[in-house]
Amino acid sequence: MKRVLTLMLVVASVAAIAVTAGGATAASAKKQDTNLSGAGSSFVFPLVSKWIPALGSAYGYNVSYAPTGSGAGIAAVTARTVDFGASDAPLTADQAAACKGCVQVPWALSATSIAYNLPGLNCILRLTGPILADMYLGNVTVWDDSRIKQINPKCTLPSTKITPVYRSGNSGTSYNVTDYLSAVSPTWKSKLGVGQSVAWPAGVGASGSSGVAATLKKTEGAIGYVDVAYALANKIRFASIQNASGKFATPGLRGIDAAAASLPKKLTGDGAFSIVNPPKGNPLAYPISTFTYVIVPTSSSKAADLRKMVYWAVTRGQTFGAPLLFQKLPLQVQAFAFKQIKQINS
Amino acid sequence: MSTLTPDPAAPAAIERRGIRLGDVLFKGVAAVAAVGVAAILALLTYKIFALAWPAMQEFGLSFIWSQDWNPTTNVYGALVFIYGTIVTSFIALLLATPLSIAIALFLTELAPKRLASPIATMVELLAAIPSVVLGLWGILVFGPWIAQHLEPWLQSWFGFLPIFSGDPSQAGVLPAALVLTIMIIPITSAICRELFSRVPRDLTDGSLALGSTRWEAIRRVAIPYAAPGISAAVLLGLGRAFGEAIAVTQVIGSGNQINRSLFPPGDTLASRIASTYQGAGSNIEVQSLLYLGAILLVISLITNVSAQVIVNKFQKARRMSTG
Amino acid sequence: MSAAEITDPYDITAKSNNLGRRRRTQQLVSVLALLSALFAVFILALVLGTVLYKGLSQLSLDFLTKSSALFGQTGGIADALVGSAIIVGMATIMAVPIAILVAIYIAEYAGPKAASFFRVMLDILNGVPAILVGIFIYGLLVVGHGQSAIYGAMALAILMIPMVARATQEVLELVPRHLREASLALGVPRWRTVYSIVLPTAIGGILTGAVIAIARVAGETAPLIFTSSIVTSQGVSLDVHQALATLPVRIFTLSESPSPDDQAAAWAAALILIGFVLVMNILAKYFAGRKRKSLEGV
């Protein structure tokens, strides 16, 4: 018995040594390959997934990305757990201070679709901002509500209960949607406001863009907000939303482009460009479009590589976006991005 | 007796010193390990309270009965989650306790010997299912079944009760409570089973000899005898239910309100921490989540310590009465 | 009420006049107890059956040897399997020696008050929710240093220690006094007695406790979410200074996905995890048998 004990102890120690040694060699081996790790927004994950192999063949970078949500991404890069963070919501003043010398660079542009589960609906659903706000406030509870019927004369709407789906935890997509809802509904603005997480009064919470898509797919009568790439990938139908010009716009490339056209020609500030609810004059503009940002520490051991990566993303990387409904960055935003990138490794 | 030849069993002078050294070292290392583990427990408690302290200062005790959880205005309160924790855990307890006692009785008293062992193994295996797998099953199988069959059925029969009002939902307080029930049945029934098997045979035999049926013997003798242990088992199951984060967060739907009905989503202390902690936006949000953690720690400790106090008190009483 | 129907409560030979009702109650209770037990078995069969049925079809060599993928793909669980093995292995190496030492202190050296204190302490530690252990390690170590497999292993070790220590302490107390006394009477020092005689006799119980703890902790998700969830390597990694993919966290992530492929992968991963836990439980029963035999032998 004693021999068994000693044998086990020896095996255990050998295993421990092997594992730590293996870990050490793996770590040192990895240093020859440049590893860039990132975490954050699930919104931008589809596009980043396309960038990862391309960056590998362009520069030999071994980029990895964990779609943990914008909030967790900001927290991770602040704690320097990862090399870069990604968020659809711009950094708040507190977060920027906590990050200690981080710069935020807009690196992609897309839209948040309002997706729904009404099987067999015989038309494309149209919604307005105020109705959407009331759905999430719990004031509009069934699909055949008169207000919805009024703007959808061609649709046969069932009397199913409306289940609003929101993101649990902190999410940049939530920031985008609440930004829009605050702009179109004074009740929303006063009661709940804008934020990565608000006190959602009605509906079901789900974790991550994946979770929202999953809940949408299995709950009849559900409505939720999710990056348009997720809606497309999971074949979930999304609604046309009425913009300030009175037209019902779809979250396609033209709608996103028109929304971004509302930006001034010269951009200043720290990068927090909100393009929700663009003013009248852009009939195609989709009102729930958003930029999404990469958050990079200005000085780190990988600053030079991060600079190259982000520069590639805002130039060459933009060509990968179209099939996923990521619109190319407008020129003034790209120019702003270059200005921000110059601060990395300066 | 003066020794002419040295006593072979007596240690030599140098050996005597060596033995003491070995003993001292060994005891010392063991003591360090024990104290170290105690220190980890103390450090854990301290750390959670220390990290939560700024939120405790900010909100004080009114945090416990405030229903606000608003990351935009940075006003936080725990009531929604305390309510969720208590409701899910107590429903689980209500359902699991009679089932566990019945299972334990079945396995110790009423089952034929051949059947008892395999069924006992299977109940133990229920405990071995990891909570994330139970949650997976909850999301993909149990939740939809509850929304499509159980909740409508409950509403059609008992819909006059406010707890079964409202619309059925795949994610909600009821699915979470039922998943917790499944999790605590094995724990409670295993302890009850041990308790019933330790009831002295002569007590139940005496009752039977006086003409009672098996059930009457159990009801009048075994259960009262095991009652303190059963309450300890119930408390341990409750503690487990309080602390379960993963399976609950998968099926409870991250609700922000207190509802009278069990159908809509809600949230518990552990589940809110699990879903929100990593992405928390501001320091005060992180600290408030840790305040929730501190509350969870306190109620877990209270249930655990109560279970132990009950066991110790009655063990002492029993030892004294049986002499 | 006629005189013949009034029964003397002290006459134990008198037939009870409600025997029929009491017998029926007895039968009802038996049936209810049986149904309860069958209900538990039914739930078990339901969950395991679903996991088996939905997971088996997804299991393939590919699934077991490839790693997690990018958006739109499902990929395999090779990285999670390796990561879990490494983290659980490290946790075991950290926890078991410490737990045995704590148990030895309680069972062999501590006075009655100290023993009682440490026993209570272990039970309290056992009752701390796993998520709080995860937050503790997160707040203590991950903040500022980043996630790593080592921190994950430490969190799991804290969960394992009370289980193994309690099991070890109980079996140490089962070792008969006369073994120890005989050894001490022969002049064997105290520490040698424990190490060479008491421990080997108790080894069955210790192994049972350890294996049960491993099975328990292999499925723990909450502590790993805080210490080893932001996985930044593609493919199987052995770097313990980084976060590694683990089976429970992978199942958790896949469980919330809308894609049927991801869901199938979740079932398959769950099947593997349950399979591992079952094997551990069978192993524990084997060791428990050996413990009984070795203790009976003395």
Side-chain angles (χ1 to χ4, degrees), chain B residues 6 22 37 44 55-56 73 82 151 161 169 172 194 216 266 277 279 286 305:
Chain B
V37 173
L44 187 152
M56 291 177 174
T73 56
I82 295 179
E151 286 179 357
L161 289 171
S169 168
E194 256 212 49
E216 284 164 355
Y277 188 78
V286 173
V305 171

Side-chain angles (χ1 to χ4, degrees), chain A residues 1 23 37 49 64 207 210-211, chain C residues 70-71 203 232 234 238 240 256 258:
Chain A
M1 246 327 106
S37 63
S49 291
S64 58
S207 169
S210 294
Chain C
L70 302 167
F71 179 77
I203 195 72
T232 54
Q234 304 273 32
L238 296 174
V240 297
E256 301 185 321

